[in-house]
Amino acid sequence: MGRFHRILEPGLNILIPVLDRIRYVQSLKEIVINVPEQSAVTLDNVTLQIDGVLYLRIMDPYKASYGVEDPEYAVTQLAQTTMRSELGKLSLDKVFRERESLNANIVDAINQAADCWGIRCLRYEIKDIHVPPRVKESMQMQVEAERRKRATVLESEGTRESAINVAEGKKQAQILASEAEKAEQINQAAGEASAVLAKAKAKAEAIRVLAAALTQHNGDAAASLTVAEQYVSAFSKLAKDSNTILLPSNPGDVTSMVAQAMGVYGALTKAPVPGAQDSVSSRSSRDVQSTDARLDEELDRVKLS
């Protein structure tokens, strides 16, 4: 008679003619609804054309029948208005990056409003987003600019890395060169030190051999012969290295020069004898005085010449 009586369960049900009548038939399956394309304005004032797909299910047939006149139409309108509201909170760049969060926000808003209708929205998916042609061109230009920027940055980083590698190579080369030069100088110094030491040892050995030879028989005669040979050799080189010449009073008297040299040698080599110190000192003083007198005479003659 037009009044709600009961909900018929699946299976066999008995109705009284004229009194009972089936008014609404609701399907409890998941329903797919295409949300028509509509325009929406983003946070940065860009107009978009967007559509989507809505997946819902009737959870309470009584509320879906008596709570709203057309549940599918009501949910579709609610989805459109909610989508415009959510898009107005996001900028154009975030719309493309946050599609998942946008779909989740639309589903939550629909479920809050459609709870009294006995309908539950399972998920919402955005199908297509159409951007105005000018905005699309500017987006393409932005993408190209970003690509050029990344290419420039990568190129500059490559140049920087190359310069760093070259500088490191030069640094290592200089370090190795300095270490090689240091090792060379150390080796050269060690060689020179070894040469000086060898020369000193050789000279010391020669002095020891000469001293041993002088102590032998006729050692003084050998020393006199050596001094005479050196005198003749030095006399032959006079006036070859310089124009200034210092000559003795008797350059041709080799015997006196050798005797004088041997006298100095003998004075240096003779050891003082106990009891004869006064005589040795007096004789040494006379020798020194005579030597000084001879040197003074030779200097006077050189000045006069």
Side-chain angles (χ1 to χ4, degrees):
M1 301 298 292
R3 182 181 177 185
F4 174 77
H5 177 57
R6 60 174 178 162
I7 298 175
L8 299 180
E9 299 295 333
L12 181 61
N13 294 279
I14 299 174
L15 300 177
I16 300 174
V18 181
L19 295 180
D20 295 332
R21 186 177 61 177
I22 298 175
R23 183 66 181 85
Y24 299 101
V25 178
Q26 303 290 350
S27 175
L28 302 182
K29 298 179 181 180
E30 185 174 348
I31 302 172
V32 180
I33 301 175
N34 289 323
V35 180
E37 184 179 13
Q38 61 176 341
S39 61
V41 180
T42 61
L43 183 63
D44 49 355
N45 297 324
V46 178
T47 303
L48 301 177
Q49 298 293 328
I50 188 168
D51 56 359
V53 181
L54 184 64
Y55 298 88
L56 55 88
R57 175 180 292 175
I58 296 176
M59 307 301 295
D60 190 346
Y62 176 77
K63 292 181 179 180
S65 299
Y66 292 95
V68 62
E69 181 66 24
D70 189 350
E72 295 184 2
Y73 177 77
V75 172
T76 302
Q77 295 299 316
L78 181 60
Q80 289 181 337
T81 55
T82 304
M83 183 170 55
R84 285 195 296 267
S85 177
E86 293 295 329
L87 284 176
K89 300 177 183 178
L90 300 175
S91 61
L92 180 61
D93 295 333
K94 291 185 178 180
V95 170
F96 294 100
R97 290 198 301 264
E98 300 180 2
R99 294 182 66 170
E100 295 295 332
S101 62
L102 181 61
N103 294 334
N105 293 334
I106 293 174
V107 170
D108 293 338
I110 292 174
N111 287 330
Q112 291 178 4
D115 185 53
C116 59
W117 299 340
I119 299 173
R120 181 172 182 80
C121 180
L122 301 179
R123 59 187 178 276
Y124 179 85
E125 297 292 339
I126 297 175
K127 290 174 63 177
D128 296 321
I129 298 176
H130 300 283
V131 184
R134 293 185 177 179
V135 177
K136 186 181 294 185
E137 292 177 359
S138 64
M139 291 175 64
Q140 292 178 355
M141 294 174 62
Q142 183 179 1
V143 171
E144 293 178 357
E146 289 292 334
R147 290 178 179 175
R148 287 195 298 269
K149 177 183 177 181
R150 287 197 296 268
T152 304
V153 171
L154 292 176
E155 184 178 0
S156 63
E157 290 180 355
T159 304
R160 183 173 65 88
E161 292 293 333
S162 176
I164 291 174
N165 293 333
V166 171
E168 288 291 336
K170 291 182 179 179
K171 177 181 177 182
Q172 293 297 328
Q174 292 179 357
I175 291 174
L176 293 177
S178 63
E179 290 180 353
E181 184 177 359
K182 177 182 177 182
E184 181 181 1
Q185 292 178 358
I186 291 173
N187 293 332
Q188 185 177 1
E192 293 177 356
S194 300
V196 171
L197 182 61
K199 289 180 180 180
K201 289 182 179 180
K203 189 173 182 180
E205 185 66 22
I207 292 173
R208 283 195 296 268
V209 171
L210 181 60
L214 290 175
T215 58
Q216 294 179 0
H217 183 65
N218 295 327
D220 295 337
S224 300
L225 178 60
T226 303
V227 172
E229 290 177 351
Q230 292 180 357
Y231 178 80
V232 172
S233 177
F235 188 77
S236 64
K237 296 180 181 179
L238 292 175
K240 290 184 178 180
D241 296 333
S242 176
N243 294 328
T244 302
I245 303 173
L246 181 62
L247 295 175
S249 60
N250 50 353
D253 191 3
V254 180
T255 305
S256 63
M257 295 298 297
V258 173
Q260 185 178 359
M262 292 305 297
V264 175
Y265 171 75
L268 293 174
T269 55
K270 287 181 180 180
V273 180
Q277 184 174 4
D278 296 335
S279 62
V280 171
S281 60
S282 62
R283 185 174 60 186
S284 298
S285 63
R286 288 196 301 272
D287 292 338
V288 171
Q289 292 175 359
S290 63
T291 303
D292 292 339
R294 290 182 181 179
L295 290 176
D296 292 336
E297 292 177 358
E298 291 176 359
L299 290 175
D300 293 335
R301 290 179 182 178
V302 170
K303 290 180 180 178
L304 293 174
S305 61

mmCIF file of all heavy atoms in Angstrom, residues 192-231:
data_model
loop_
_atom_site.group_PDB
_atom_site.id
_atom_site.type_symbol
_atom_site.label_atom_id
_atom_site.label_comp_id
_atom_site.label_asym_id
_atom_site.label_seq_id
_atom_site.Cartn_x
_atom_site.Cartn_y
_atom_site.Cartn_z
ATOM 1 N N GLU A 192 130.040 12.326 -2.669
ATOM 2 C CA GLU A 192 131.104 13.285 -2.381
ATOM 3 C C GLU A 192 131.730 13.028 -1.020
ATOM 4 O O GLU A 192 132.961 13.116 -0.852
ATOM 5 C CB GLU A 192 130.550 14.713 -2.454
ATOM 6 C CG GLU A 192 130.137 15.139 -3.863
ATOM 7 C CD GLU A 192 129.537 16.528 -3.884
ATOM 8 O OE1 GLU A 192 129.373 17.111 -2.788
ATOM 9 O OE2 GLU A 192 129.233 17.030 -4.994
ATOM 10 N N ALA A 193 130.868 12.698 -0.049
ATOM 11 C CA ALA A 193 131.406 12.405 1.283
ATOM 12 C C ALA A 193 132.303 11.162 1.246
ATOM 13 O O ALA A 193 133.383 11.124 1.858
ATOM 14 C CB ALA A 193 130.265 12.203 2.275
ATOM 15 N N SER A 194 131.845 10.157 0.486
ATOM 16 C CA SER A 194 132.664 8.951 0.366
ATOM 17 C C SER A 194 133.980 9.251 -0.334
ATOM 18 O O SER A 194 135.043 8.736 0.054
ATOM 19 C CB SER A 194 131.878 7.879 -0.400
ATOM 20 O OG SER A 194 130.685 7.544 0.273
ATOM 21 N N ALA A 195 133.927 10.130 -1.385
ATOM 22 C CA ALA A 195 135.158 10.490 -2.099
ATOM 23 C C ALA A 195 136.120 11.244 -1.188
ATOM 24 O O ALA A 195 137.338 10.970 -1.171
ATOM 25 C CB ALA A 195 134.822 11.330 -3.325
ATOM 26 N N VAL A 196 135.562 12.222 -0.426
ATOM 27 C CA VAL A 196 136.422 12.976 0.501
ATOM 28 C C VAL A 196 137.036 12.049 1.536
ATOM 29 O O VAL A 196 138.222 12.140 1.882
ATOM 30 C CB VAL A 196 135.607 14.104 1.165
ATOM 31 C CG1 VAL A 196 136.398 14.756 2.289
ATOM 32 C CG2 VAL A 196 135.213 15.158 0.131
ATOM 33 N N LEU A 197 136.202 11.123 2.038
ATOM 34 C CA LEU A 197 136.711 10.179 3.034
ATOM 35 C C LEU A 197 137.791 9.284 2.433
ATOM 36 O O LEU A 197 138.828 9.012 3.069
ATOM 37 C CB LEU A 197 135.559 9.342 3.579
ATOM 38 C CG LEU A 197 135.902 8.332 4.673
ATOM 39 C CD1 LEU A 197 136.469 9.059 5.894
ATOM 40 C CD2 LEU A 197 134.653 7.537 5.079
ATOM 41 N N ALA A 198 137.551 8.849 1.190
ATOM 42 C CA ALA A 198 138.560 7.997 0.538
ATOM 43 C C ALA A 198 139.861 8.773 0.308
ATOM 44 O O ALA A 198 140.971 8.254 0.517
ATOM 45 C CB ALA A 198 138.004 7.468 -0.783
ATOM 46 N N LYS A 199 139.723 10.065 -0.149
ATOM 47 C CA LYS A 199 140.920 10.883 -0.342
ATOM 48 C C LYS A 199 141.662 11.094 0.976
ATOM 49 O O LYS A 199 142.905 11.035 1.028
ATOM 50 C CB LYS A 199 140.535 12.233 -0.946
ATOM 51 C CG LYS A 199 140.082 12.154 -2.397
ATOM 52 C CD LYS A 199 139.718 13.531 -2.906
ATOM 53 C CE LYS A 199 139.254 13.471 -4.359
ATOM 54 N NZ LYS A 199 138.882 14.805 -4.878
ATOM 55 N N ALA A 200 140.900 11.354 2.039
ATOM 56 C CA ALA A 200 141.535 11.560 3.340
ATOM 57 C C ALA A 200 142.251 10.302 3.807
ATOM 58 O O ALA A 200 143.379 10.360 4.333
ATOM 59 C CB ALA A 200 140.498 11.994 4.372
ATOM 60 N N LYS A 201 141.602 9.153 3.604
ATOM 61 C CA LYS A 201 142.246 7.902 3.987
ATOM 62 C C LYS A 201 143.509 7.656 3.155
ATOM 63 O O LYS A 201 144.540 7.213 3.674
ATOM 64 C CB LYS A 201 141.258 6.748 3.816
ATOM 65 C CG LYS A 201 140.133 6.743 4.840
ATOM 66 C CD LYS A 201 139.223 5.543 4.632
ATOM 67 C CE LYS A 201 138.115 5.521 5.685
ATOM 68 N NZ LYS A 201 137.205 4.359 5.498
ATOM 69 N N ALA A 202 143.383 7.960 1.827
ATOM 70 C CA ALA A 202 144.557 7.771 0.968
ATOM 71 C C ALA A 202 145.696 8.707 1.381
ATOM 72 O O ALA A 202 146.880 8.300 1.430
ATOM 73 C CB ALA A 202 144.175 8.010 -0.496
ATOM 74 N N LYS A 203 145.350 9.979 1.678
ATOM 75 C CA LYS A 203 146.372 10.930 2.097
ATOM 76 C C LYS A 203 146.998 10.520 3.429
ATOM 77 O O LYS A 203 148.220 10.616 3.615
ATOM 78 C CB LYS A 203 145.755 12.325 2.197
ATOM 79 C CG LYS A 203 146.780 13.417 2.425
ATOM 80 C CD LYS A 203 146.133 14.788 2.352
ATOM 81 C CE LYS A 203 147.168 15.882 2.533
ATOM 82 N NZ LYS A 203 146.555 17.231 2.470
ATOM 83 N N ALA A 204 146.153 10.048 4.339
ATOM 84 C CA ALA A 204 146.681 9.593 5.624
ATOM 85 C C ALA A 204 147.604 8.393 5.429
ATOM 86 O O ALA A 204 148.667 8.290 6.057
ATOM 87 C CB ALA A 204 145.528 9.240 6.566
ATOM 88 N N GLU A 205 147.184 7.486 4.537
ATOM 89 C CA GLU A 205 148.035 6.332 4.266
ATOM 90 C C GLU A 205 149.350 6.759 3.624
ATOM 91 O O GLU A 205 150.438 6.234 3.949
ATOM 92 C CB GLU A 205 147.291 5.362 3.349
ATOM 93 C CG GLU A 205 148.029 4.064 3.085
ATOM 94 C CD GLU A 205 148.183 3.220 4.340
ATOM 95 O OE1 GLU A 205 147.374 3.421 5.298
ATOM 96 O OE2 GLU A 205 149.107 2.377 4.390
ATOM 97 N N ALA A 206 149.274 7.783 2.683
ATOM 98 C CA ALA A 206 150.502 8.286 2.057
ATOM 99 C C ALA A 206 151.423 8.934 3.087
ATOM 100 O O ALA A 206 152.650 8.760 3.051
ATOM 101 C CB ALA A 206 150.146 9.287 0.962
ATOM 102 N N ILE A 207 150.837 9.687 4.025
ATOM 103 C CA ILE A 207 151.654 10.322 5.076
ATOM 104 C C ILE A 207 152.307 9.263 5.944
ATOM 105 O O ILE A 207 153.494 9.367 6.323
ATOM 106 C CB ILE A 207 150.785 11.283 5.905
ATOM 107 C CG1 ILE A 207 150.365 12.493 5.035
ATOM 108 C CG2 ILE A 207 151.529 11.748 7.153
ATOM 109 C CD1 ILE A 207 149.383 13.403 5.710
ATOM 110 N N ARG A 208 151.546 8.214 6.277
ATOM 111 C CA ARG A 208 152.135 7.139 7.087
ATOM 112 C C ARG A 208 153.284 6.441 6.347
ATOM 113 O O ARG A 208 154.331 6.140 6.902
ATOM 114 C CB ARG A 208 151.049 6.129 7.474
ATOM 115 C CG ARG A 208 150.138 6.598 8.606
ATOM 116 C CD ARG A 208 149.341 5.453 9.191
ATOM 117 N NE ARG A 208 148.426 4.896 8.200
ATOM 118 C CZ ARG A 208 147.172 5.305 8.042
ATOM 119 N NH1 ARG A 208 146.714 6.281 8.834
ATOM 120 N NH2 ARG A 208 146.400 4.741 7.144
ATOM 121 N N VAL A 209 153.052 6.200 5.028
ATOM 122 C CA VAL A 209 154.110 5.559 4.234
ATOM 123 C C VAL A 209 155.341 6.455 4.135
ATOM 124 O O VAL A 209 156.489 6.014 4.254
ATOM 125 C CB VAL A 209 153.575 5.193 2.837
ATOM 126 C CG1 VAL A 209 154.701 4.718 1.918
ATOM 127 C CG2 VAL A 209 152.494 4.117 2.962
ATOM 128 N N LEU A 210 155.106 7.809 3.929
ATOM 129 C CA LEU A 210 156.218 8.761 3.834
ATOM 130 C C LEU A 210 156.976 8.848 5.153
ATOM 131 O O LEU A 210 158.216 8.890 5.179
ATOM 132 C CB LEU A 210 155.671 10.131 3.437
ATOM 133 C CG LEU A 210 156.705 11.264 3.275
ATOM 134 C CD1 LEU A 210 157.724 10.899 2.179
ATOM 135 C CD2 LEU A 210 156.010 12.576 2.942
ATOM 136 N N ALA A 211 156.212 8.863 6.241
ATOM 137 C CA ALA A 211 156.873 8.912 7.546
ATOM 138 C C ALA A 211 157.699 7.667 7.776
ATOM 139 O O ALA A 211 158.830 7.723 8.292
ATOM 140 C CB ALA A 211 155.822 9.075 8.646
ATOM 141 N N ALA A 212 157.158 6.522 7.381
ATOM 142 C CA ALA A 212 157.923 5.273 7.527
ATOM 143 C C ALA A 212 159.165 5.281 6.644
ATOM 144 O O ALA A 212 160.238 4.788 7.031
ATOM 145 C CB ALA A 212 157.035 4.084 7.195
ATOM 146 N N ALA A 213 159.030 5.843 5.425
ATOM 147 C CA ALA A 213 160.188 5.899 4.516
ATOM 148 C C ALA A 213 161.272 6.839 5.047
ATOM 149 O O ALA A 213 162.477 6.583 4.892
ATOM 150 C CB ALA A 213 159.739 6.341 3.133
ATOM 151 N N LEU A 214 160.864 7.962 5.660
ATOM 152 C CA LEU A 214 161.845 8.907 6.173
ATOM 153 C C LEU A 214 162.634 8.337 7.341
ATOM 154 O O LEU A 214 163.776 8.740 7.600
ATOM 155 C CB LEU A 214 161.160 10.214 6.587
ATOM 156 C CG LEU A 214 160.609 11.079 5.440
ATOM 157 C CD1 LEU A 214 159.845 12.275 5.994
ATOM 158 C CD2 LEU A 214 161.721 11.550 4.509
ATOM 159 N N THR A 215 162.033 7.461 8.093
ATOM 160 C CA THR A 215 162.731 6.859 9.233
ATOM 161 C C THR A 215 163.733 5.788 8.812
ATOM 162 O O THR A 215 164.549 5.354 9.621
ATOM 163 C CB THR A 215 161.711 6.261 10.205
ATOM 164 O OG1 THR A 215 160.914 5.291 9.506
ATOM 165 C CG2 THR A 215 160.816 7.343 10.782
ATOM 166 N N GLN A 216 163.664 5.369 7.545
ATOM 167 C CA GLN A 216 164.574 4.334 7.071
ATOM 168 C C GLN A 216 165.944 4.940 6.715
ATOM 169 O O GLN A 216 166.146 6.160 6.760
ATOM 170 C CB GLN A 216 163.960 3.616 5.862
ATOM 171 C CG GLN A 216 162.706 2.814 6.201
ATOM 172 C CD GLN A 216 162.118 2.131 4.987
ATOM 173 O OE1 GLN A 216 162.668 2.260 3.883
ATOM 174 N NE2 GLN A 216 161.018 1.419 5.204
ATOM 175 N N HIS A 217 166.895 4.091 6.263
ATOM 176 C CA HIS A 217 168.260 4.512 5.905
ATOM 177 C C HIS A 217 168.214 5.375 4.653
ATOM 178 O O HIS A 217 167.505 5.031 3.694
ATOM 179 C CB HIS A 217 169.150 3.267 5.691
ATOM 180 C CG HIS A 217 170.587 3.620 5.382
ATOM 181 N ND1 HIS A 217 171.410 4.254 6.298
ATOM 182 C CD2 HIS A 217 171.311 3.417 4.238
ATOM 183 C CE1 HIS A 217 172.595 4.431 5.732
ATOM 184 N NE2 HIS A 217 172.561 3.921 4.477
ATOM 185 N N ASN A 218 168.972 6.488 4.637
ATOM 186 C CA ASN A 218 169.013 7.441 3.516
ATOM 187 C C ASN A 218 167.653 8.102 3.263
ATOM 188 O O ASN A 218 167.336 8.494 2.142
ATOM 189 C CB ASN A 218 169.503 6.774 2.227
ATOM 190 C CG ASN A 218 170.940 6.309 2.329
ATOM 191 O OD1 ASN A 218 171.755 6.951 3.018
ATOM 192 N ND2 ASN A 218 171.277 5.196 1.667
ATOM 193 N N GLY A 219 166.821 8.204 4.268
ATOM 194 C CA GLY A 219 165.528 8.871 4.098
ATOM 195 C C GLY A 219 165.675 10.358 3.876
ATOM 196 O O GLY A 219 164.938 10.970 3.096
ATOM 197 N N ASP A 220 166.680 10.977 4.553
ATOM 198 C CA ASP A 220 166.904 12.407 4.357
ATOM 199 C C ASP A 220 167.340 12.711 2.939
ATOM 200 O O ASP A 220 166.945 13.721 2.346
ATOM 201 C CB ASP A 220 167.958 12.902 5.350
ATOM 202 C CG ASP A 220 167.485 12.795 6.796
ATOM 203 O OD1 ASP A 220 166.229 12.777 6.972
ATOM 204 O OD2 ASP A 220 168.312 12.726 7.705
ATOM 205 N N ALA A 221 168.160 11.860 2.364
ATOM 206 C CA ALA A 221 168.601 12.079 0.988
ATOM 207 C C ALA A 221 167.432 11.995 0.018
ATOM 208 O O ALA A 221 167.306 12.795 -0.914
ATOM 209 C CB ALA A 221 169.674 11.033 0.617
ATOM 210 N N ALA A 222 166.536 11.057 0.263
ATOM 211 C CA ALA A 222 165.358 10.943 -0.601
ATOM 212 C C ALA A 222 164.472 12.175 -0.479
ATOM 213 O O ALA A 222 163.931 12.686 -1.469
ATOM 214 C CB ALA A 222 164.583 9.681 -0.245
ATOM 215 N N ALA A 223 164.315 12.697 0.763
ATOM 216 C CA ALA A 223 163.522 13.902 0.952
ATOM 217 C C ALA A 223 164.161 15.089 0.256
ATOM 218 O O ALA A 223 163.479 15.919 -0.356
ATOM 219 C CB ALA A 223 163.359 14.183 2.443
ATOM 220 N N SER A 224 165.536 15.188 0.334
ATOM 221 C CA SER A 224 166.219 16.280 -0.356
ATOM 222 C C SER A 224 166.008 16.203 -1.848
ATOM 223 O O SER A 224 165.776 17.213 -2.519
ATOM 224 C CB SER A 224 167.715 16.227 -0.022
ATOM 225 O OG SER A 224 167.915 16.372 1.373
ATOM 226 N N LEU A 225 166.072 14.989 -2.396
ATOM 227 C CA LEU A 225 165.844 14.810 -3.831
ATOM 228 C C LEU A 225 164.432 15.224 -4.225
ATOM 229 O O LEU A 225 164.216 15.902 -5.235
ATOM 230 C CB LEU A 225 166.096 13.353 -4.216
ATOM 231 C CG LEU A 225 165.859 13.002 -5.697
ATOM 232 C CD1 LEU A 225 166.782 13.831 -6.592
ATOM 233 C CD2 LEU A 225 166.069 11.507 -5.928
ATOM 234 N N THR A 226 163.464 14.902 -3.413
ATOM 235 C CA THR A 226 162.068 15.262 -3.718
ATOM 236 C C THR A 226 161.882 16.765 -3.679
ATOM 237 O O THR A 226 161.211 17.351 -4.549
ATOM 238 C CB THR A 226 161.120 14.584 -2.715
ATOM 239 O OG1 THR A 226 161.334 13.172 -2.773
ATOM 240 C CG2 THR A 226 159.671 14.889 -3.039
ATOM 241 N N VAL A 227 162.463 17.426 -2.675
ATOM 242 C CA VAL A 227 162.340 18.883 -2.584
ATOM 243 C C VAL A 227 163.002 19.549 -3.770
ATOM 244 O O VAL A 227 162.492 20.523 -4.344
ATOM 245 C CB VAL A 227 162.953 19.373 -1.255
ATOM 246 C CG1 VAL A 227 163.029 20.894 -1.223
ATOM 247 C CG2 VAL A 227 162.138 18.866 -0.077
ATOM 248 N N ALA A 228 164.178 19.024 -4.206
ATOM 249 C CA ALA A 228 164.855 19.602 -5.372
ATOM 250 C C ALA A 228 164.014 19.450 -6.631
ATOM 251 O O ALA A 228 163.897 20.379 -7.436
ATOM 252 C CB ALA A 228 166.220 18.926 -5.551
ATOM 253 N N GLU A 229 163.405 18.294 -6.798
ATOM 254 C CA GLU A 229 162.557 18.091 -7.976
ATOM 255 C C GLU A 229 161.373 19.046 -7.963
ATOM 256 O O GLU A 229 161.002 19.634 -8.990
ATOM 257 C CB GLU A 229 162.066 16.649 -8.006
ATOM 258 C CG GLU A 229 163.168 15.635 -8.323
ATOM 259 C CD GLU A 229 162.654 14.213 -8.278
ATOM 260 O OE1 GLU A 229 161.486 14.039 -7.824
ATOM 261 O OE2 GLU A 229 163.380 13.281 -8.655
ATOM 262 N N GLN A 230 160.732 19.231 -6.824
ATOM 263 C CA GLN A 230 159.595 20.157 -6.734
ATOM 264 C C GLN A 230 160.040 21.590 -6.994
ATOM 265 O O GLN A 230 159.318 22.382 -7.600
ATOM 266 C CB GLN A 230 158.918 20.035 -5.359
ATOM 267 C CG GLN A 230 158.225 18.706 -5.151
ATOM 268 C CD GLN A 230 157.569 18.620 -3.794
ATOM 269 O OE1 GLN A 230 157.689 19.550 -2.976
ATOM 270 N NE2 GLN A 230 156.897 17.498 -3.531
ATOM 271 N N TYR A 231 161.251 21.964 -6.521
ATOM 272 C CA TYR A 231 161.753 23.317 -6.756
ATOM 273 C C TYR A 231 161.969 23.560 -8.244
ATOM 274 O O TYR A 231 161.611 24.592 -8.778
ATOM 275 C CB TYR A 231 163.049 23.532 -5.972
ATOM 276 C CG TYR A 231 163.677 24.880 -6.181
ATOM 277 C CD1 TYR A 231 163.192 26.001 -5.503
ATOM 278 C CD2 TYR A 231 164.746 25.035 -7.068
ATOM 279 C CE1 TYR A 231 163.769 27.249 -5.706
ATOM 280 C CE2 TYR A 231 165.315 26.273 -7.273
ATOM 281 C CZ TYR A 231 164.819 27.392 -6.586
ATOM 282 O OH TYR A 231 165.380 28.621 -6.796
#
